[in-house]
Amino acid sequence: MTRPPTLDPDWTPEAVVFDCDGTLIDSEQHWQRARAIVLRGFGHAPDEEFAERAKGLHYRDCGVLMAELVGAPDHAQDMTQQLLNTFRALVAREPVSTRGARELVRTLERVAPLAVASNCPEDVVRFSLESVNLRRHFRHIVVPDDRIRPKPHPDTYAEAARRLGVPGGRALAVEDSVNGMKAAVAAGLRVVGVGPRPAPEDAALADLWVASLDDPALMTWAESRPTAADGSDTAHTAGAAGASDSADAADAKVPRPGGPTRQDPAGAS
């Protein structure tokens, strides 16, 4: 499939799928800190190379990578759980949405239904979105499970588009990681890449690259899209619980994340 080099001014997505960590939620700082806390507990400190390798990885893969780094592969499961618990505690303490996230979500909600595709556990995604008052804008949250493989596989984006009722080629992905962009492209979505520009071959995955979601070109394009036929930005959210599957409808039953199993030796505050 030939993909246009920029967002076509004459094209309007019929669905928009956002990544969560680093895209909607300024959580990469929390992941970095959580990794450092866990690694320090094993007598190691992450370097820039490790940080780059870990970005965008499924948290289980990151746990394996960390165990390999400290030379203790048998501790992968333990480190994975410590990483996840520590991240949850940090997000609960300091939830922060990314620049422009609220405005872009509200603008695109008037254009098309929205979903989230993430490599994180569902309760973490829900908690993160609720913490910054964004959960209500999304009809579905799609995360890896027994049949949905994590990014860079296309499954999360393909499933999100399917649940929103459109082919991948009619949907737009908003992503900050290379693994996520690879997943979205493989699922047929057009892509807005967000954050520091990566190497040229990776940047080429995106139809448009912006430093942040409040980029004027992106906001101008979003604001110029025709409003959905129902003419209401609340129509997408008012029936969200009914339109979602049983997991999405059971939002209130999801347990809140707990604290870390191992404290930061230097203090986690």
Side-chain angles (χ1 to χ4, degrees):
M1 180 179 66
T2 301
R3 302 166 65 250
T6 59
L7 285 175
D8 187 342
D10 297 323
W11 179 74
T12 298
E14 296 179 23
V16 182
V17 185
F18 285 82
D19 170 57
C20 185
D21 279 352
T23 300
L24 293 171
I25 309 297
D26 188 9
S27 53
E28 183 56 30
Q29 60 177 307
H30 297 321
W31 280 118
Q32 288 179 0
R33 192 170 185 185
R35 292 191 290 262
I37 289 170
V38 175
L39 285 172
R40 282 203 298 270
F42 283 82
H44 287 260
D47 55 19
E48 291 185 8
E49 180 182 357
F50 171 81
E52 188 62 30
R53 292 178 64 191
K55 185 178 180 180
L57 279 182
H58 188 272
Y59 71 99
R60 290 194 184 96
D61 294 331
C62 189
V64 171
L65 183 64
M66 293 167 67
E68 292 174 351
L69 178 66
V70 302
D74 292 343
H75 287 276
Q77 185 173 354
D78 178 41
M79 296 185 77
T80 297
Q81 191 59 52
Q82 289 185 40
L83 173 66
L84 187 56
N85 289 344
T86 305
F87 172 76
R88 285 169 165 162
L90 293 172
V91 170
R93 185 176 302 171
E94 190 180 1
V96 183
S97 59
T98 58
R99 284 171 45 199
R102 297 177 187 277
E103 293 77 8
L104 184 64
V105 165
R106 289 170 180 164
T107 298
L108 288 176
E109 183 182 35
R110 300 185 181 99
V111 176
L114 310 181
V116 168
S118 174
N119 267 357
C120 285
E122 187 172 350
D123 72 310
V124 173
V125 177
R126 288 179 183 280
F127 180 74
S128 297
L129 294 174
E130 289 168 357
S131 296
V132 295
N133 297 316
L134 286 176
R135 170 66 186 96
R136 63 188 178 86
H137 298 284
F138 298 95
R139 289 193 180 185
H140 299 281
I141 293 172
V142 180
V143 301
D145 59 21
D146 291 341
R147 65 183 182 84
I148 298 175
R149 296 169 297 175
K151 307 169 187 177
H153 297 288
D155 302 24
T156 54
Y157 276 107
E159 177 65 12
R162 186 195 69 78
R163 292 188 193 180
L164 292 175
V166 303
R170 297 181 186 174
L172 177 69
V174 185
E175 254 288 352
D176 76 309
S177 74
V178 172
N179 277 339
M181 288 186 288
K182 288 178 178 177
V185 170
L189 283 72
R190 301 190 191 192
V191 180
V192 171
V194 187
R197 199 175 188 89
E201 61 270 23
D202 293 329
L205 292 165
D207 297 281
L208 175 67
W209 195 275
V210 296
S212 61
L213 295 182
D214 61 355
D215 179 87
L218 175 59
M219 287 303 303
T220 297
W221 177 87
E223 290 168 350
S224 68
R225 299 307 87 202
T227 301
D230 57 33
S232 170
D233 64 338
T234 61
H236 296 307
T237 55
S244 300
D245 56 22
S246 58
D248 281 351
D251 193 356
K253 299 180 181 178
V254 177
R256 287 296 178 265
T261 56
R262 178 176 297 185
Q263 296 298 320
D264 178 3
S269 59

